[in-house]
Amino acid sequence: MSSPSDVLVRGSGLVKHYPTREPGLRGAKGAIKAVDGVDLHLARGECLALVGESGCGKSTLASLLTHLEPPTGGSIEVNGSRWGKDRRTDRQIRRQIQIVLQDPYSALNPRMTIEQILTEPLRIHSDLVPARDHSRRVTELLEMVGLNDSHRHRYPHEFSGGQRQRICIARALAVTPRILVCDEPLSALDVSVQGQILELFRDLRERLGLSYVFISHDLAVVRSIADRVAVMYLGRIVEQGPTEEIYERPRHPYTRALLSSAPVTDPAVRETRERIVLTGEVPSPANPPSGCAFRTRCWLATDECATTVPVLEPVFQGHEAACLLLGDH
Amino acid sequence: MTMPASETPLLEIQGLSVEFRARRAAPVQAVQDLSLTARAGECVVVLGESGSGKSVTAKAVMGLLEGNARTTAGSIRLDGADLLADPAAMRAARGRDMAMVFQDSLSALNPVQRVGDQIAEMFRVHQGLSKAEARTRAIELMRQVAIPDPERRARSYPHQISGGMRQRIVIAMAIALKPRLLIADEPTTALDVTVQKGILDLFRVLTEAGAGLVFITHDIGVAAEIADHIVVMYAGSVMETGPAREVLARPHHPYTRALLASVPRIERPGARTPIPGGLPDPADRPAGCLFAPRCPLATADCTATRPELESLEPGRAAACLRITEVQHVLAQ
């Protein structure tokens, strides 16, 4: 178990509701419960993956962790300081936690050169690197992500998707953060380029001692990079634990279904593994089912699942699952 | 009753080349010398990254190439009839004998028409059925593609249903007239794995019922799940073809091998070996082997000579000058 000083990020009771209104002038008020009660922690040097289907709240959680949006409830501490305490604290935290987004085509300003893109964070956090050293820092950043220094005067459109994602990573690294939150950083890239970027994340982690919150729908990628996995369903973490533990011994029915749906290349493995086909659809986060949110698609659900909300309970060292039927299967 | 192996395959593409005209520049070769055979009841997967020419191939078969694209060589035969030589045959076959499922179901459907009516339209236009008859058939079809509560769903507009449901509607429209050939271009790419699984199962049911399927994807895992045969494309050309199990278990071409070694696999955790470099610029492709700039085995010969697809053993072929050395290394 990690001692409190090893915890770099801690989110407690995180809630994010987006208000909605039914159609019509006097429509009833409601809320999309994108994140609905999440506790999580990230240890120093760790890679924590968030997985789940679209709409499960993993990207919302990423924007809460980086304070791009304030939570509706709960709090996030980064290295002992709380997000949203005051502007000065926020500024200090922002240097420690940065985000890499999915689409490197829309994440870069097309009218700025690479040098301008990489210098902008240094100008905003002006006490970090003296202005006369900005140019040297750009060289360093480009080298760090495997780009050539001669690229600095070019514009984003002159680069391939993989190179653009490298630029986005370099920009995130400009303020020397300790944590990168990566929201589907490979999804927009070509298959043969994904491997290179994954390798870059591995390399940076070793060289800079970075910690990652890695969001991905690709369960194969997650297994290859994450130390720990948190599985989300409808705004909550339903299971979390060490990666191999989750992949080898998933306990929550949803995790089992999710893992069994991932395509497998090896025919021998494919023929022997558990096959679960989920019926029905993910319910709307504006109107989640009572009790266990997964019960409407769960083949094991009982009457109790409709009335009692399951909480995460330890099943093995560091492995927790939120299911009322843990003892039964 | 089993039919004897038919002489003419369902779909036979031979030596297909497609180029895009460019303004004030040389035309871009999107597909070069592609050959492919699809039989009834079988799934051929065209596996490739973006820019490999896989979607252009699909559009060429359907006769749906954009205005600035044209086929410069080759033939596309459906049941022996050359579709490229005979535009009338192409028009007659499209929709009735062959149909296409696109990646983006939201843009493939009419946003202001109820999904049930869109399916029913197939029967009204092609078979002249009455409104009521067409509607009944549409609902039957929706049930066949496993849409729950089809009577209610039929009245939904595309934006009101989930991505997985929409893709099922698109598939329902494609199979409405019982085409013998289905072409699916990345039909599950926008979907979650749990939904993808259901759609792949549906395609499997359709091939088992006798349809020929050409399935285009960049995802090796998806290819492994559905393919009987695999055609590996890279930068507009075929690198390797063969039975799916064999290509995936014993890839011959260095590109296929590098791709399989680079992609993380859920069943095999641990670090992978990335492929260095990037895809060649379509307007400025290497003169020799297209993969040579990224290939660990490339020699001076490889950068000078474009290798032809050569048969290695029954059913398998690869385009690589150094294939004997590769096989030698593999044998060890």
Side-chain angles (χ1 to χ4, degrees):
Chain A
M1 279 312 284
S2 48
S3 69
S5 67
D6 278 344
V7 174
L8 214 46
V9 181
R10 183 183 294 283
S12 314
L14 288 175
V15 174
K16 182 68 187 176
H17 289 181
Y18 296 99
T20 56
R21 196 181 267 279
E22 294 286 306
L25 278 175
R26 285 163 208 272
K29 271 190 189 166
I32 303 276
K33 295 165 183 161
V35 173
D36 201 22
V38 165
D39 296 303
L40 62 77
H41 67 274
L42 176 73
R44 205 174 294 275
E46 185 182 45
C47 176
L48 167 69
L50 301 177
V51 303
E53 291 169 282
S54 45
C56 73
K58 52 194 198 298
S59 290
T60 304
L61 198 50
S63 65
L64 296 182
L65 289 172
T66 47
H67 207 56
L68 299 177
E69 292 180 291
T72 315
S75 67
I76 299 162
E77 279 187 11
V78 177
N79 213 8
S81 314
R82 190 170 57 82
W83 263 131
K85 185 163 162 276
D86 52 52
R87 285 183 59 121
R88 247 187 85 221
T89 316
D90 283 358
R91 221 176 133 78
Q92 290 303 322
I93 300 177
R94 173 100 32 235
R95 290 178 190 182
Q96 299 186 47
I97 188 162
Q98 286 282 321
I99 193 163
V100 176
L101 298 165
Q102 172 173 351
D103 182 6
Y105 293 85
S106 59
L108 298 171
N109 186 332
R111 303 180 66 169
M112 283 165 84
T113 64
I114 304 314
E115 182 167 44
Q116 288 168 334
I117 289 170
L118 295 182
T119 315
E120 193 177 33
L122 300 176
R123 284 196 285 109
I124 293 165
H125 295 269
S126 56
D127 52 325
L128 220 50
V129 178
R132 63 174 182 280
D133 291 338
H134 281 183
S135 174
R136 200 188 313 152
R137 179 70 180 147
V138 169
T139 308
E140 208 174 277
L141 288 167
L142 286 171
E143 184 272 330
M144 219 179 261
V145 297
L147 289 175
N148 199 313
D149 193 40
S150 64
H151 289 151
R152 64 162 67 208
H153 297 301
R154 296 202 193 159
Y155 289 89
H157 75 266
E158 298 176 66
F159 294 92
S160 67
Q163 287 172 317
R164 282 184 222 209
Q165 196 56 293
R166 286 175 194 271
I167 296 164
C168 292
I169 296 168
R171 178 178 59 185
L173 294 175
V175 294
T176 58
R178 292 156 181 266
I179 307 139
L180 282 190
V181 176
C182 308
D183 190 0
E184 299 273 7
L186 307 178
S187 309
L189 306 177
D190 267 318
V191 187
S192 70
V193 177
Q194 288 188 3
Q196 297 170 7
I197 301 296
L198 201 55
E199 201 52 41
L200 175 64
F201 280 126
R202 258 195 213 102
D203 173 57
L204 291 172
R205 185 180 176 187
E206 257 174 49
R207 279 208 285 171
L208 308 175
L210 288 175
S211 309
Y212 295 116
V213 175
F214 197 95
I215 294 171
S216 178
H217 69 280
D218 188 329
L219 296 161
V221 166
V222 165
R223 190 171 195 175
S224 81
I225 193 165
D227 302 310
R228 217 151 50 79
V229 177
V231 183
M232 290 187 72
Y233 189 79
L234 228 56
R236 292 214 177 105
I237 292 175
V238 296
E239 181 161 15
Q240 61 180 346
T243 306
E244 282 313 296
E245 177 70 15
I246 298 281
Y247 278 73
E248 289 296 326
R249 281 171 291 280
R251 296 296 299 276
H252 197 285
Y254 177 62
T255 313
R256 283 168 59 196
L258 196 63
L259 288 171
S260 88
S261 320
V264 167
T265 309
D266 187 336
V269 176
R270 188 163 59 245
E271 278 150 25
T272 57
R273 69 176 181 156
E274 188 176 37
R275 290 193 82 94
I276 303 166
V277 179
L278 285 184
T279 50
E281 294 180 31
V282 182
S284 161
N287 186 22
S290 64
C292 173
F294 183 59
R295 72 177 165 83
T296 52
R297 297 167 84 193
C298 184
W299 63 102
L300 300 166
T302 63
D303 292 345
E304 201 196 347
C305 299
T307 52
T308 313
V309 179
V311 293
L312 283 170
E313 283 179 48
V315 291
F316 190 70
Q317 293 156 353
H319 184 174
E320 305 177 306
C323 175
L324 297 174
L325 306 163
L326 275 182
D328 308 346
H329 61 263
Chain B
M1 190 183 82
T2 51
M3 296 280 286
S6 71
E7 290 299 306
T8 40
L10 183 58
L11 174 73
E12 191 167 32
I13 306 176
Q14 270 177 343
L16 180 72
S17 293
V18 180
E19 67 174 30
F20 281 84
R21 281 194 309 275
R23 268 182 151 195
R24 274 171 277 159
V28 172
Q29 300 293 324
V31 176
Q32 284 179 320
D33 195 22
L34 170 125
S35 297
L36 178 158
T37 304
R39 290 172 206 285
E42 263 186 11
C43 170
V44 179
V45 162
V46 181
L47 181 69
E49 300 178 70
S50 49
S52 64
K54 54 194 196 305
S55 294
V56 176
T57 303
K59 284 183 186 160
V61 174
M62 292 296 294
L64 296 173
L65 287 172
E66 284 89 348
N68 61 341
R70 63 190 189 100
T71 49
T72 51
S75 64
I76 298 171
R77 290 176 188 281
L78 187 69
D79 274 329
D82 192 341
L83 301 179
L84 287 182
D86 185 0
M90 175 77 88
R91 263 197 307 280
R94 194 163 44 210
R96 188 190 65 194
D97 300 324
M98 57 181 188
M100 183 146 174
V101 177
F102 293 94
Q103 173 177 346
D104 182 2
S105 59
L106 196 56
S107 57
L109 293 169
N110 182 345
V112 295
Q113 194 181 15
R114 296 176 199 274
V115 294
D117 293 343
Q118 296 191 47
I119 302 173
E121 199 175 62
M122 297 292 289
F123 299 114
R124 297 196 21 100
V125 171
H126 286 271
Q127 298 178 346
L129 296 192
S130 75
K131 223 170 178 176
E133 283 171 322
R135 199 184 126 72
T136 313
R137 294 281 294 278
I139 286 167
E140 261 170 42
L141 209 50
M142 287 171 74
R143 194 168 284 123
Q144 197 188 331
V145 296
I147 291 174
D149 198 1
E151 288 85 357
R152 192 172 62 85
R153 286 279 188 228
R155 291 193 298 272
S156 304
Y157 289 95
H159 75 272
Q160 293 174 317
I161 58 179
S162 69
M165 274 316 146
R166 274 201 302 269
Q167 197 57 285
R168 286 178 193 270
I169 299 284
V170 173
I171 293 170
M173 286 173 72
I175 63 171
L177 305 178
K178 297 194 170 60
R180 283 162 300 151
L181 178 67
L182 272 176
I183 298 178
D185 188 1
E186 303 261 12
T188 62
T189 303
L191 305 175
D192 279 312
V193 282
T194 47
V195 181
Q196 165 171 285
K197 177 93 172 304
I199 300 284
L200 292 179
D201 287 346
L202 174 57
F203 275 115
R204 203 168 293 118
V205 168
L206 295 172
T207 49
E208 275 163 14
L213 174 62
V214 177
F215 191 102
I216 288 164
T217 184
H218 68 276
D219 187 322
I220 293 177
V222 168
E225 293 274 346
I226 195 155
D228 294 307
H229 270 77
I230 290 190
V231 176
V232 182
M233 289 188 78
Y234 182 77
S237 293
V238 175
M239 298 284 118
E240 174 161 12
T241 69
R245 283 185 87 114
E246 291 182 35
V247 171
L248 295 171
R250 295 184 300 119
H252 284 322
H253 196 285
Y255 171 63
T256 320
R257 298 182 61 200
L259 195 63
L260 280 163
S262 74
V263 175
R265 293 206 215 165
I266 194 162
E267 74 272 25
R268 236 182 263 172
R272 312 293 291 162
T273 318
I275 308 176
L279 296 154
D281 179 353
D284 183 26
R285 291 216 173 106
C289 171
L290 294 157
F291 187 59
R294 305 172 79 184
C295 181
L297 302 168
T299 61
D301 221 16
C302 298
T303 52
T305 316
R306 178 77 56 91
E308 305 245 317
L309 202 61
E310 276 178 57
S311 175
L312 302 166
E313 52 194 272
R316 293 199 65 177
C320 175
L321 295 175
R322 305 204 60 202
I323 198 70
T324 43
E325 288 98 319
V326 173
Q327 283 184 306
H328 188 68
V329 174
L330 278 180
Q332 282 178 348

